[in-house]
């Protein structure tokens, strides 16, 4: 037998489907979550139990709308009040399962409906009331679920769950409500899954039995449910809250015949089982399509954040190369020292004297030198912070305009500790610049010059050279920045030689940009982490489809067995 094989494949598929995370608010996500829950529930409640025990009693669910009379019908079929009926709504708050005493062992364990505890007394929330009664023939059990259109959402969900766990539906409606939308939604599901179905048309005016019954039969045929057994019950006075025997006789005879004929009962069970198994393909394929949408949306949101922070890095890089960091306080402090006019015009002639002056300036730790260094640090901090804040604001704005991103936005600015981390990283970079100066100054011919000038002084000159490209400056700023660049180059050449100087500024600049990139990526990762926390993994769709393919291969073999309808 291939039952165990298809059951194992179905169990693996069920695990893959249950593991799908539909956390992003894409189109139809609520429907996808419901479909996921319904499929996992039916696998647990019905498909796996029935595959593993085909000889278990047939479970007949008597479902219907509020006030349709299904509990009264169950009580009448059993000949005792086993399910509460009355005027208050909802009447059936917890499900009732009635079976022959000899069959209790099939239902008092979590073999089916494992999520419901069992009780033989009054059923509480989340429980299934078992009622053994000898009037129910062996091999058959009646299940009275809550109303399918109950005002209580939990009752509606439970009703749908219980109907999906049954081998046969007896659907109860009335002459006044047989065309209502909610019942037909469930009847469509029965048609899609080839569920064995009987329909009870209750409370039909005696003079309208043929007309109303005929109309309902036509409607059923139009919805591919023409094979459903239809039992009109005329409107009659109840006797002790039960339907008179004559009115219910056709339905009772039909059920008794099923109970007495093991082959007929087995055919109903196998028909419903096969239909439910065949429905798995489309249901899982639809979920996989929704999963693709989730993965694509997650990638879109991540890319939006990534591109904003890429732009921030380009902004910093351009600001560094263009001389933006030398604006304001840095230029003012530098101008105090070197001046502009005649100094820049006669720079080549005065470079020796200037170098002596710069040496005293930096090695003496004058207030002006400290001011230049602090101004560089402050301007660099402001440049990077502004770029990071703009990236956060733009990402948040884009996400707020996206249905899936809106719920993920926590803040539209940089993280609280970004300023401290940025300050520490700038200082670390300054330290690495000094280390670069030491490394380059370690050569014998540079030692004396570096000693006279000082590591800190040379390092600060190198930092100035990194920023003095003049592209973002104008007017007097260009003159001063140009002087800064020239002075920096000449001083560095005097210390290290012209060959080494060509790479020093580039190395220091690249190191700075690499450090900024790491900082900005950590800020971007806040947004990415918000997506990752709710989005499915990219490889999940392939995992689900692989599990579906394995299940379908096992199912094809299973359905080739004699007695099963494919």
């Amino acid at each position: 037998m291939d039952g165990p094989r298809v059951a194992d494949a179905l169990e693996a598929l069920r695990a893959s489907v249950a593991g799908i995370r539909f956390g992003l608010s894409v189109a139809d996500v609520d429907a996808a979550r419901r479909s996921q829950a319904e499929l996992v529930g039916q696998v647990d409640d019905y498909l796996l139990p029935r595959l593993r025990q085909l000889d278990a009693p047939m479970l007949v669910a008597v479902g219907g709308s509020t006030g349709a009379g299904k509990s009264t019908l169950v009580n009448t079929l059993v000949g005792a009040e086993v399910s509460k009926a009355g005027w208050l709504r909802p009447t059936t708050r917890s499900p009732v399962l009635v079976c022959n005493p000899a069959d209790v062992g099939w239902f008092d364990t979590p073999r089916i409906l494992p999520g419901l505890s069992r009780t033989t007394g009054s059923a509480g929330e989340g429980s299934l009331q078992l009622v053994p009664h000898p009037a129910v023939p062996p091999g058959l059990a009646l299940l009275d679920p809550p109303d399918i259109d109950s005002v209580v959402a939990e009752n509606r969900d439970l009703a749908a769950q219980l109907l999906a766990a049954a081998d046969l539906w007896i659907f109860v409606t009335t002459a006044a409500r047989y065309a209502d939308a909610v019942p037909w939604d469930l009847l469509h599901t029965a048609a899609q899954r080839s569920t064995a179905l009987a329909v009870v048309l209750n409370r039909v005016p005696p003079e309208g039995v043929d007309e109303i019954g005929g109309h309902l039969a036509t409607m059923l045929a139009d919805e591919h449910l023409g094979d459903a057994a239809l039992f009109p019950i005329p409107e009659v006075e109840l006797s002790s809250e039960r339907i008179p025997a004559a009115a219910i006789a056709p339905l009772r005879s039909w059920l008794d015949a099923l109970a007495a004929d093991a082959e007929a009962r087995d055919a109903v069970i196998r028909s419903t089982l096969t239909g439910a198994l065949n429905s798995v393909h489309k249901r899982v394929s639809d979920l996989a399509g929704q999963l693709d949408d989730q993965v694509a949306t997650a990638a879109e949101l991540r890319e939006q954040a990534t591109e904003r922070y890429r732009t921030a890095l380009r902004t910093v890089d351009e600001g560094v190369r263009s001389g933006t960091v030398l604006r304001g306080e840095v230029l003012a402090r530098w101008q105090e020292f070197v001046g502009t006019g005649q100094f820049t015009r006669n720079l080549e002639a005065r470079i020796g004297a200037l170098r002596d002056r710069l040496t005293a300036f930096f090695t003496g730790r004058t207030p002006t030198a400290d001011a230049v260094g602090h101004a560089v640090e402050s301007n660099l901090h402001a440049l990077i912070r502004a770029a990071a804040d703009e990236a956060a604001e733009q990402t948040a704005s884009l996400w707020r305009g996206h249905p899936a991103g809106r719920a993920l936005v926590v803040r539209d600015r940089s993280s609280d500790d970004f300023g401290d981390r940025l300050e520490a990283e700038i200082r670390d970079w300054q330290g690495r610049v000094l280390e670069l100066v030491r490394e380059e100054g370690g050569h014998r011919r540079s030692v004396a010059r570096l000693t006279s000038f000082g590591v800190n002084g040379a390092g600060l000159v190198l930092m100035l050279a990194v920023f003095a490209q003049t592209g973002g400056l104008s007017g007097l700023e260009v003159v001063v920045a140009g002087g800064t660049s020239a002075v920096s180059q000449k001083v560095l050449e005097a210390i290290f030689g012209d060959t080494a100087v060509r790479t020093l500024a580039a190395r220091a600049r690249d190191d700075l940009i690499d450090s900024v990139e790491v900082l900005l990526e950590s800020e971007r990762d806040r947004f990415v982490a918000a997506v990752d926390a709710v989005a499915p993994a990219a490889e999940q769709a392939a995992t689900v489809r692989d599990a579906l393919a394995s299940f379908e291969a096992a199912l094809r073999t299973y359905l080739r067995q004699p007695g099963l309808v494919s």
Side-chain angles (χ1 to χ4, degrees), residues 90-169:
T91 301
T92 307
R93 293 175 172 83
S94 296
V96 177
L97 190 151
V98 192
C99 65
N100 188 276
D103 289 335
V104 169
W106 289 105
F107 301 107
D108 63 0
T109 67
R111 183 189 66 85
I112 65 167
L113 300 168
L116 297 177
S117 61
R118 271 48 170 182
T119 177
T120 55
S122 297
E125 185 176 347
S127 63
L128 175 65
Q129 183 181 359
L130 289 180
V131 181
H133 198 284
V136 179
L140 184 147
L142 297 175
L143 177 63
D144 185 9
D147 302 330
I148 61 170
D149 58 353
S150 172
V151 294
V152 181
E154 292 81 1
N155 284 355
R156 295 196 301 272
D157 293 342
L158 181 56
Q161 176 189 355
L162 295 173
L163 287 170
D167 299 298
L168 169 65
W169 293 6

Side-chain angles (χ1 to χ4, degrees), residues 4-50:
R5 181 186 168 203
V6 74
D8 290 345
L10 179 59
E11 191 165 22
L13 176 59
R14 179 250 183 240
S16 294
V17 170
I20 298 174
R21 186 164 53 183
F22 291 114
L24 293 172
S25 297
V26 301
D28 299 324
V29 67
D30 290 335
R33 290 167 183 159
R34 284 194 302 272
S35 297
Q36 177 190 31
E38 289 169 2
L39 178 56
V40 170
Q42 189 177 35
V43 171
D44 291 343
D45 295 339
Y46 173 67
L47 288 173
L48 286 176
R50 180 51 78 189

Side-chain angles (χ1 to χ4, degrees), residues 137 145 333 350 353 376 389 562:
R333 296 306 179 193
R350 299 176 54 196
V376 168
D389 286 346

Side-chain angles (χ1 to χ4, degrees), residues 452-511:
S452 65
F453 193 76
V455 171
N456 289 340
L460 183 52
V461 172
L462 178 57
M463 292 177 208
L464 293 174
V466 167
F467 305 120
Q469 301 298 309
T470 75
L473 306 177
S474 59
L476 181 61
E477 291 179 333
V478 172
V479 175
V480 178
T484 303
S485 180
V487 169
S488 299
Q489 174 123 354
K490 293 298 182 182
V491 170
L492 293 173
E493 285 179 358
I495 297 173
F496 303 115
D498 58 354
T499 302
V501 166
R502 283 192 292 268
T503 63
L504 279 175
R507 288 176 62 186
R509 184 183 302 112
D510 290 346
D511 183 32

Side-chain angles (χ1 to χ4, degrees), residues 363-425:
T363 59
R365 303 299 299 165
T366 66
T368 306
D370 288 340
V372 173
H374 292 321
V376 168
E377 182 178 334
S378 176
N379 282 10
L380 182 57
H381 188 287
L383 171 66
I384 299 169
R385 181 62 189 253
D389 286 346
E390 185 175 5
E393 183 178 347
Q394 290 181 352
T395 301
S397 177
L398 284 171
W399 282 19
R400 288 194 181 101
H402 195 296
R406 195 172 300 126
L408 304 181
V409 177
V410 177
R411 59 188 295 159
D412 57 2
R413 60 186 185 278
S414 299
S415 55
D416 291 335
D417 66 342
F418 180 71
D420 293 338
R421 290 188 290 117
L422 174 56
E423 183 177 340
E425 189 53 53

Side-chain angles (χ1 to χ4, degrees), residues 309-325 380 383-384 387 466-467 469 506 508-514 516-517 520:
Y309 280 95
R310 284 197 197 107
T311 300
L313 183 63
R314 288 193 293 268
T315 299
V316 172
D317 189 36
E318 290 167 4
V320 167
R321 293 177 182 274
S322 68
T324 300
V325 175
L380 182 57
L383 171 66
I384 299 169
V466 167
F467 305 120
Q469 301 298 309
R509 184 183 302 112
D510 290 346
D511 183 32
L512 174 62
I513 297 303
D514 288 345
V516 173
E517 183 175 17
L520 293 178

